[in-house]
Amino acid sequence: MLTASRFSRSLLRQNTAVVATVRQFCSETEDSPIHFNSKPPPTPTGHKHDHLNVSKIDSSVLMIEMVQPELTVESLQWLSQVVYEIERTDPSGGTPLVRGLVLTGNGQHFITGINAKELIDPAYKRLGEFWTAVQEVYIRLYSSRLATVAAINGSCLSLGLVLATCCDARVMTGRPDALVGMSDVHLGMVNPPWVMDVVGGVCNPRDTYNMFTLGLTHSPDQALSKGLVDKLTEDDEVLAQASASVRSMLQIPDGARGLQKLYFRAGRIESMMRTRVDETEHFRSMVTHEKTQACLCVCVCVCVCVCVCVCVCVCVCVCVC
């Protein structure tokens, strides 16, 4: 008969290799840092850039604010590097400088997916860089020792939902125009298994299946009922509630909480790492497929037409008034 203690030791042996693999990735990334088009910040605190802002909530909790809702190669690379910088421990060997992290967006949106410029008539090398950056952000955020909370201040779509579900908890605005979901399938794009696993980790299997295969989006109330977010609040309370969630997690010892979290998540990370090269090639071929490119072009044209119509209506109203 397998006792509880024997089962715990067995589980520890099984996961030790996985945890070591994840930590090896992190150490290899430290030795071979990501290459940026511009110099990365020497220290994250108080940093402002075209892609993200980093500010201090209190002595042990930082906030990363994504400036633009659409993700690019550069914004993903900066996010990955800043998460690494934040995770670095005190040089004196003491306690970590930062224990918690809040990820949020700027303005009325959280993260709404991939910037269309990255996908329409893309360069072959650029596509590889983009998906590699997606994988690296996923590994950094999903395996982070930090207590992480997504402060979802608006629409959270596609890769935005992936980053949000990589966090330990999600606090969202209850504003009716904010949407949550995975709409990639409408553009002829297919998400890899690890993306479905991450989102499926907070949502029941049937709802996850429908969301990915039908490209469904949900209102904040629906997202709460399906488990995609943990709490709804007013617009001006999102950051405060997210910060409170981080502080409640910090009541648990960091080492135990971080390692327990990694044991839950290490299997998914290891599975992705085994196929990451093949997956990148698949992403390249999927995006460059003529049907996908046609769908992307139609989508962009529709968006431009809607924007033009809105601008015309506003100008007419101004002139009439």
Side-chain angles (χ1 to χ4, degrees):
M1 182 175 178
L2 187 62
T3 63
S5 59
R6 289 179 62 190
F7 176 77
S8 298
R9 288 195 296 270
S10 174
L11 182 64
L12 180 61
R13 284 195 298 270
Q14 292 173 17
N15 282 281
T16 298
V18 177
V19 174
T21 301
V22 174
R23 288 176 173 165
Q24 180 183 1
F25 165 81
C26 294
S27 63
E28 287 173 352
T29 312
E30 290 176 25
D31 296 334
S32 305
I34 302 166
H35 296 289
F36 293 87
N37 292 335
S38 55
K39 187 178 179 181
T43 177
T45 309
H47 174 71
K48 295 194 176 205
H49 192 264
D50 292 340
H51 304 297
L52 54 83
N53 301 325
V54 183
S55 56
K56 183 179 288 188
I57 294 178
D58 59 35
S59 60
S60 60
V61 181
L62 292 185
M63 178 182 74
I64 295 180
E65 178 188 63
M66 303 301 292
V67 174
Q68 299 296 330
E70 299 90 9
L71 295 172
T72 63
V73 172
E74 289 77 19
S75 64
L76 285 165
Q77 289 176 336
W78 276 81
L79 178 57
S80 178
Q81 180 69 8
V82 168
V83 171
Y84 159 67
E85 292 287 346
I86 289 173
E87 285 203 322
R88 295 176 66 181
T89 56
D90 189 328
S92 65
T95 57
L97 294 172
V98 180
R99 302 171 60 208
L101 174 67
V102 172
L103 177 66
T104 190
N106 182 34
Q108 297 295 302
H109 298 286
F110 179 64
I111 298 171
T112 56
I114 307 173
N115 190 309
K117 293 180 181 178
E118 298 287 353
L119 302 177
I120 296 178
D121 194 22
Y124 183 81
K125 181 180 179 182
R126 178 87 176 177
L127 278 179
E129 290 175 348
F130 181 85
W131 198 250
T132 298
V134 169
Q135 295 169 330
E136 288 172 346
V137 167
Y138 159 70
I139 294 173
R140 287 280 185 209
L141 197 55
Y142 203 54
S143 66
S144 175
R145 65 166 177 80
L146 302 171
T148 56
V149 174
I152 305 174
N153 57 311
S155 291
C156 175
L157 303 171
S158 301
L159 282 179
L161 181 56
V162 176
L163 294 183
T165 50
C166 281
C167 296
D168 299 322
R170 287 147 295 285
V171 177
M172 184 179 182
T173 175
R175 204 173 64 244
D177 64 335
L179 297 175
V180 178
M182 299 293 297
S183 55
D184 300 349
V185 70
H186 292 297
L187 302 176
M189 299 179 65
V190 179
N191 284 286
W194 64 265
V195 171
M196 294 180 284
D197 286 343
V198 171
V199 177
V202 301
C203 185
N204 72 65
R206 186 61 187 174
D207 287 332
T208 303
Y209 178 85
N210 287 336
M211 186 166 55
F212 277 89
T213 58
L214 302 178
L216 300 181
T217 56
H218 305 293
S219 68
D221 288 332
Q222 291 172 327
L224 179 64
S225 67
K226 295 178 185 300
L228 291 170
V229 298
D230 301 298
K231 187 174 185 179
L232 297 182
T233 186
E234 298 296 326
D235 253 359
D236 56 357
E237 288 293 317
V238 173
L239 283 177
Q241 294 294 332
S243 302
S245 294
V246 171
R247 293 188 186 100
S248 68
M249 295 179 196
L250 298 184
Q251 302 302 311
I252 308 299
D254 290 354
R257 175 180 44 76
L259 190 57
Q260 188 68 74
K261 177 169 77 170
L262 189 55
Y263 281 163
F264 269 109
R265 299 181 170 191
R268 291 172 180 158
I269 297 172
E270 184 190 36
S271 177
M272 188 278 282
M273 291 175 70
R274 285 198 301 263
T275 60
R276 62 183 308 190
V277 175
D278 293 337
E279 183 185 296
T280 301
E281 290 303 316
H282 173 73
F283 178 75
R284 282 185 175 126
S285 62
M286 177 179 64
V287 172
T288 54
H289 193 280
E290 57 182 14
K291 289 186 178 180
T292 304
Q293 287 294 305
C295 289
L296 289 167
C297 290
V298 169
C299 180
V300 170
C301 289
V302 169
C303 291
V304 170
C305 290
V306 170
C307 290
V308 170
C309 290
V310 170
C311 291
V312 170
C313 290
V314 170
C315 291
V316 169
C317 292
V318 170
C319 292
V320 170
C321 293

